[in-house]
Amino acid sequence: MRRHDLRISDDDLFAFYDARVGAQVYSERHFDRWWKKARATDPALLDFDPEALLADGGELDETLFPTTWRLGSIHLPLSYEYNPAAAGSEGDGVSLSVPVVFLNQLDPARFAWLIPGLRHELITALIRSMPKSIRKNFVPAPDVAAKALEMLNTDFDPSADDLAESLALVLRRPRGMVVDPAVFDFAILPPHLRFGFTITDASGKVLGQGDDLAALQYKFAAANRTALASGVNSPRCRETRQARQARGCCQPAQEGPGFGGHRRLGPEGPGDLAAAWSPRARPWAIPCRPR
C-alpha cells in the first residue's frame, strides 16, 4: 500500500553514506582510492540493511486502511498490493474479495470513495482531472484537496452520498464557483485509486477480477442467481427453516421478485442480503453447501 511515511527519505540515505564515506572524497577518483583501502578493513561498510529501507511507521491505522469491508452484518476481506506496473487484470491498490452470492448487493457508488487512507490522493487526482479552464481555479490541487476532504469528512457520508456531487458542492464553497459533478473524470484515475474486485464461488475459486463493478455484476448475474437459489433451497437449509417454523421462530419465506426473481429470504422482503444471510439475524436462512 502507498504510505510515504514508510519509505526512507533521501535525507536519511545521504546521512547514512555521509557518515561512512571519508571526508577527503570529492570525486569518483577520490572515492575509488578511498574505498580500495576502506573495504580491506570493513567490506560491509557501505552495505545498506534492506530492513532499513522501511522506516518505523508504527502500527497501521485500520481506520485509514481497513482490512474488511462491511456489508450489513458481513465483513468482506480487503487486500492491498503495491504494483505500479500493473497491467491487464493485475492488481494495484486495494481489492475486495466478494463471494458471488453477495455480488448484486454491492453499490458501485459506495466504492468511488475508495478508503480513507487514499482519499486525499483520490480527491487530488479528481481535481486534476477537470478541464483546464475549470482546474485553474483550484490550485494547488493537493492543498485544495486537503480542505475539500475536511469538509467531506464533516458534512457527507460515503455510505450514502455520491462522491462527485459531494465534491462539487465543497469546491463551490470557498470560491463560489459552481462545479458540475460531470467534470470529474473517474476513467483516467490510476489503477491504485480505483477499487479492485475479486469474485469467488462458494469454494473460494476465483471467477473473475476487475475494477468495473457494474460490469462484473452484469457478467456474473447468472452465477449470482444460481448461488442464491443453491443456498436458500438446499435440503439442509429447508430442514433448518422447517424446524424453526415448527417452533414458531419465523414465518415461511414469501414468494416475490426480490433477488433476481428468486424466493425472498424472509417475510420482510428483499432487504439486505448480507443481513438476511447472517446467522445472528436469521439462523434459518444460513446459506448451505450441498454435502
Side-chain angles (χ1 to χ4, degrees):
M1 81 187 60
R2 289 164 170 79
R3 289 183 59 197
H4 300 294
D5 59 309
L6 293 182
R7 287 288 178 188
I8 194 164
S9 68
D10 290 341
D11 289 340
D12 292 327
L13 287 173
F14 176 83
F16 175 84
Y17 289 109
D18 185 55
R20 289 161 175 78
V21 176
Q24 71 277 21
V25 174
Y26 297 100
S27 66
E28 182 178 351
R29 183 170 58 86
H30 285 95
F31 175 82
D32 290 341
R33 185 185 306 158
W34 168 83
W35 180 233
K36 184 177 181 180
K37 296 179 180 179
R39 68 181 177 184
T41 56
D42 187 358
L45 177 63
L46 299 183
D47 289 355
F48 199 95
D49 183 1
E51 295 298 325
L53 288 174
L54 294 178
D56 182 10
E59 292 296 324
L60 184 66
D61 186 350
E62 290 194 11
T63 62
L64 298 178
F65 298 92
T67 57
T68 61
W69 180 276
R70 184 173 180 179
L71 179 64
S73 60
I74 304 298
H75 292 265
L76 302 176
L78 293 174
S79 61
Y80 297 86
E81 184 173 358
Y82 182 79
N83 184 14
S89 61
E90 295 179 345
D92 183 30
V94 57
S95 295
L96 178 70
S97 180
V98 189
V100 69
V101 70
F102 297 127
L103 185 57
N104 69 334
Q105 293 299 298
L106 300 180
D107 180 0
R110 305 284 68 80
F111 296 92
W113 290 81
L114 209 56
I115 57 171
L118 293 176
R119 203 163 289 159
H120 176 260
E121 188 176 355
L122 170 64
I123 301 304
T124 302
L126 288 174
I127 292 173
R128 288 172 171 165
S129 76
M130 297 189 295
K132 185 176 181 180
S133 59
I134 303 175
R135 185 176 69 242
K136 66 182 182 181
N137 297 288
F138 301 98
V139 292
D143 294 346
V144 175
K147 295 178 181 178
L149 185 56
E150 290 181 6
M151 290 183 279
L152 287 172
N153 289 337
T154 301
D155 300 328
F156 296 90
D157 181 5
S159 68
D161 297 314
D162 180 83
L163 174 58
E165 294 177 357
S166 303
L167 180 57
L169 288 173
V170 299
L171 290 180
R172 178 180 180 178
R173 292 177 184 176
R175 295 169 171 81
M177 181 177 180
V178 177
V179 176
D180 185 344
V183 301
F184 302 117
D185 191 351
F186 286 82
I188 67 171
L189 291 175
H192 75 280
L193 293 181
R194 298 195 298 264
F195 242 107
F197 302 91
T198 299
I199 315 304
T200 62
D201 64 12
S203 67
K205 178 184 176 181
V206 174
L207 300 178
Q209 295 175 305
D211 58 18
D212 187 336
L213 178 56
L216 290 169
Q217 289 173 323
Y218 179 81
K219 180 178 181 180
F220 296 106
N224 170 257
R225 291 192 294 269
T226 300
L228 284 167
S230 174
V232 175
N233 296 318
S234 68
R236 184 180 174 190
C237 283
R238 285 199 299 270
E239 292 174 4
T240 303
R241 289 198 298 272
Q242 292 169 358
R244 289 183 58 81
Q245 290 167 14
R247 297 197 303 268
C249 298
C250 59
Q251 299 296 321
Q254 296 178 348
E255 299 290 342
F259 306 109
H262 289 284
R263 290 165 53 85
R264 293 178 177 174
L265 297 184
E268 299 87 347
D272 182 349
L273 177 60
W277 280 42
S278 167
R280 183 177 303 171
R282 297 187 181 98
W284 55 272
I286 298 174
C288 305
R289 300 180 189 172
R291 298 195 177 200

